[in-house]
Amino acid sequence: MGHGRANTFAFGDSENDLSMAPAVETFVAMGNALPGVKAAADYVTLSAADEGVPAGLAHFGLI
């Protein structure tokens, strides 16, 4: 698509989400993520049940 990785984000909580990590600049693990996902993350946000995606977006100044 002609876009680089700059300013791209992905959120994940399970091992099937790890394939997104190399495709984005910032990989964010949910607080409820598996340990391996958290270890691969650039940042760990709150759990999905605690509004982790909006919290992560706010952390990076995106909302």
Side-chain angles (χ1 to χ4, degrees), residues 27-40:
F27 180 63
V28 181
M30 304 304 293
N32 58 292
L34 296 172
V37 177
K38 288 181 179 179

Side-chain angles (χ1 to χ4, degrees), residues 13-49:
D13 62 357
S14 62
E15 290 178 355
N16 67 316
D17 297 321
L18 290 174
S19 63
M20 294 188 292
V24 297
E25 182 177 34
T26 306
F27 180 63
V28 181
M30 304 304 293
N32 58 292
L34 296 172
V37 177
K38 288 181 179 179
D42 300 300
Y43 178 73
V44 178
T45 188
L46 301 174
S47 71

Side-chain angles (χ1 to χ4, degrees), residues 9 11 28 43 45-46 51-63:
F9 296 81
F11 290 73
V28 181
Y43 178 73
T45 188
L46 301 174
E51 304 292 331
V53 173
L57 293 172
H59 172 81
F60 290 104
L62 299 171
I63 58 171

